[in-house]
Amino acid sequence: MSDELRLLRYNTGTDKKVFVKLKNEFDAVIFNATIVAYSGSSVADLVSAHKRQFIIDPQTHIFQHDISAIQTFRKKTGTVEIKKSVEQYLATFPSALKSIILQERRPVFPNDITRNIDELANSVYQFETAYVQGHIKKKEYDKYLDFAGIRPTPRLAIAPYFMLKSSYSEDETSAWMQVNRKLIDSFVQINSGNFEVAAQLVLEQKVLTKASIYNLIKSTYDNAGISYIFLWIDEFDTFEASGPMRQAFYQLLSTFKELGIKPIMAYGGYDSILLCNNQITNRLFGVAQSVGYGESRAITPVGGGLPVNKYYFEPLHRRLRFEEAFYILQHAGYFDPAKSKRAHARDYYAHICKCAQCRDIIQDDIDNFNRYNDSIPFVVRARYGDISRNRPTSEASLISALHFSYCKAKEWHDVINMDLDILVAKLIENYKKYAPNRVSNIENWCEIYAH
């Protein structure tokens, strides 16, 4: 039996159609705490009906950022306020910490947390393990769950955590790591063996290049009583990272192997899934991604930009703008009129993707591939006049998300069941065929990690 955790991160109600179809391809669903606080009843329905194993990310790091990161502008009142989801989550916190955010309107500092270690650890533990259960108890189906023995339960519990910023001095970094260890110790004691416990290490990329960080990580997590550690590195993708950053991440994985702690990528793409292959020496033991996206993520995201049609090109394991994917297929001859559309469709299934979504959309006509690019016009109101743009239709967004998720399920199946040498050879071969200018980059990745 494999020991990898295949995690699907659930964000909004629009994810539900994809989630329900692919729920059996993942081991657990993971929610951000603010989503659970805001939509507890809906989350209770979701896990009761579809996925009994769930994880709640406590997101405590959001309270150490500038207060603007958790605020929103309300058009009705014309005021800037704390986001409702954050406010509802804060309602479960110790009053001293809640007051800092709501009354003082400032981020928390290490001394604030140190004075409230046990209270914060306990409130987060109760939220992760009892909040959803409290909503389930109000449901008509509550007694049925007990009778059938299918009550939802946390797959593991994550201790509260705070991030490391590259702007921190060594003393500040050390202070936050001391806070993280104290929170883990308190959390583990409160848990008292009820669930597996995980930590989470969130940091900006440049932190990994600091020579002192690895000894600090060792001293923080050594004998901490945790099974797993979630890793979230700001906008990090090892397929795109520089050589020094790749080496730094390799050292991070090596450090956790030495500590006997299983790392999980909190936001990861195929690079992270491939690192879960059990033949890799310094490996990962799980990856989470969202429905249709989420392979890497900024810790403090700024706007999402204009929506565009994207298609997951499985041979390269990348989300591409539809135009890029179309160009690759066109260059490879998939729309050449010398061959029938039915024959091109068969070639597509043989060499590009044969997932259920592609078969349903393309069928026997390769031209149906364009349905992934369906869009509708909308108007952007700009300073010097209105600008017309196109955005994906609801159907195009849905089928692209389904296709992405089917591809993820296949990637997991291949990585768990195939020999590493075969996976590496296939990866390099596909890059030679569809993105030859990036082959040396992928070969370098394999030299560092794939052994």
Side-chain angles (χ1 to χ4, degrees):
M1 182 179 177
S2 64
D3 55 0
E4 301 82 15
L5 282 178
R6 304 167 301 165
L7 304 176
L8 187 63
R9 193 176 286 274
Y10 191 95
N11 294 296
T12 67
T14 56
D15 291 350
K16 188 173 181 180
K17 289 181 180 178
V18 179
F19 174 80
V20 170
K21 274 199 173 187
L22 286 111
K23 61 187 178 182
N24 294 326
E25 301 294 339
F26 297 88
D27 301 306
V29 56
I30 183 168
F31 303 94
N32 283 342
T34 51
I35 289 174
V36 176
Y38 191 71
S39 307
S41 181
S42 297
V43 169
D45 290 341
L46 190 80
V47 296
S48 297
H50 299 294
K51 200 73 187 176
R52 298 200 306 274
Q53 295 271 293
F54 67 91
I55 298 168
I56 297 175
D57 180 340
Q59 281 186 289
T60 38
H61 76 93
I62 64 175
F63 302 114
Q64 72 184 117
H65 303 304
D66 186 88
I67 201 74
S68 61
I70 56 172
Q71 288 179 324
T72 188
F73 177 74
R74 301 207 186 283
K75 290 182 180 177
K76 280 188 178 180
T77 59
T79 57
V80 176
E81 300 174 18
I82 302 292
K83 294 175 183 176
K84 279 289 182 190
S85 58
V86 175
E87 197 171 16
Q88 289 182 234
Y89 183 37
L90 272 171
T92 69
F93 272 45
S95 57
L97 295 177
K98 189 167 34 178
S99 175
I100 290 170
I101 307 297
L102 297 178
Q103 271 73 55
E104 298 181 39
R105 285 292 205 265
R106 68 169 174 85
V108 297
F109 299 111
N111 287 342
D112 299 321
I113 308 300
T114 300
R115 288 193 289 266
N116 297 275
I117 290 289
D118 292 337
E119 293 85 352
L120 179 58
N122 185 62
S123 67
V124 168
Y125 183 80
Q126 296 305 321
F127 185 84
E128 290 187 48
T129 61
Y131 190 84
V132 172
Q133 302 296 349
H135 280 280
I136 291 174
K137 286 179 181 178
K138 299 173 187 176
K139 304 286 186 176
E140 292 181 1
Y141 54 69
D142 178 51
K143 290 181 181 178
Y144 166 75
L145 295 176
D146 282 334
F147 176 78
I150 54 172
R151 180 171 289 279
T153 184
R155 171 60 183 82
L156 49 81
I158 304 174
Y161 60 90
F162 293 91
M163 74 168 291
L164 305 181
K165 300 182 182 182
S166 56
S167 60
Y168 288 163
S169 66
E170 287 202 10
D171 286 345
E172 287 175 309
T173 300
S174 180
W176 278 116
M177 287 296 260
Q178 286 176 38
V179 165
N180 286 339
R181 178 55 189 256
K182 288 175 182 176
L183 285 167
I184 292 169
D185 289 342
S186 181
F187 196 82
V188 167
Q189 188 173 5
I190 293 164
N191 178 61
S192 191
N194 290 325
F195 304 100
E196 279 194 289
V197 174
Q200 184 152 192
L201 178 60
V202 179
L203 42 80
E204 293 177 345
Q205 289 191 32
K206 288 183 180 177
V207 175
L208 281 182
T209 63
K210 296 182 178 181
S212 59
I213 193 62
Y214 298 98
N215 283 333
L216 183 58
I217 287 172
K218 284 180 185 177
S219 62
T220 300
Y221 298 108
D222 188 30
N223 293 314
I226 57 175
S227 303
Y228 295 93
I229 186 158
F230 284 79
L231 305 177
W232 182 7
I233 304 168
D234 189 45
E235 291 189 294
F236 188 65
D237 176 341
T238 59
F239 276 172
E240 299 293 329
S242 65
M245 280 307 306
R246 285 177 175 174
Q247 293 289 352
F249 184 65
Y250 184 82
Q251 188 174 351
L252 182 67
L253 296 179
S254 176
T255 299
F256 283 115
K257 183 184 180 185
E258 187 179 333
L259 290 170
I261 298 170
K262 299 175 182 177
I264 296 173
M265 211 64 176
Y267 295 90
Y270 179 68
D271 58 323
S272 298
I273 293 174
L274 184 51
L275 285 172
C276 290
N277 182 275
N278 61 17
Q279 292 176 284
I280 287 179
T281 305
N282 296 315
R283 57 176 294 215
L284 289 168
F285 288 84
V287 183
Q289 67 264 316
S290 301
V291 171
Y293 62 99
E295 299 113 309
S296 63
R297 189 183 175 200
I299 295 168
T300 52
V302 289
L306 295 175
V308 295
N309 294 79
K310 287 201 172 183
Y311 168 83
Y312 191 78
F313 196 77
E314 202 268 339
L316 297 179
H317 307 284
R318 307 297 293 174
R319 283 176 79 230
L320 304 176
R321 291 177 68 97
F322 179 84
E323 293 83 356
E324 295 175 79
F326 186 89
Y327 173 80
I328 291 173
L329 292 179
Q330 187 179 48
H331 187 70
Y334 278 84
F335 301 99
D336 187 340
K339 205 170 184 178
S340 73
K341 294 175 182 180
R342 179 188 292 267
H344 281 313
R346 285 199 299 265
D347 289 342
Y348 176 94
Y349 300 138
H351 303 292
I352 306 298
C353 182
K354 58 181 177 182
C355 78
Q357 187 58 60
C358 282
R359 287 187 176 276
D360 182 54
I361 292 298
I362 296 172
Q363 299 183 28
D364 292 327
D365 184 350
I366 192 63
D367 284 351
N368 288 331
F369 178 73
N370 284 292
R371 286 180 61 188
Y372 283 114
N373 193 38
D374 284 349
S375 59
I376 53 174
F378 73 104
V379 174
V380 178
R381 305 209 176 278
R383 184 176 179 182
Y384 298 107
D386 295 348
I387 301 172
S388 181
R389 291 284 187 269
N390 290 317
R391 67 170 174 233
T393 62
S394 296
E395 189 206 23
S397 295
L398 175 61
I399 63 176
S400 295
L402 279 162
H403 163 69
F404 173 94
S405 299
Y406 279 121
C407 287
K408 290 295 156 189
K410 179 182 181 297
E411 287 172 353
W412 272 116
H413 180 271
D414 290 349
V415 166
I416 289 172
N417 293 289
M418 292 174 68
D419 186 85
L420 179 61
D421 288 343
I422 295 173
L423 292 166
V424 166
K426 188 177 179 184
L427 179 66
I428 293 172
E429 178 189 347
N430 281 331
Y431 268 83
K432 284 179 178 177
K433 188 173 184 179
Y434 300 111
N437 60 320
R438 293 184 53 79
V439 173
S440 61
N441 172 63
I442 294 299
E443 288 175 334
N444 174 259
W445 186 95
C446 293
E447 287 169 7
I448 293 171
Y449 296 109
H451 54 81

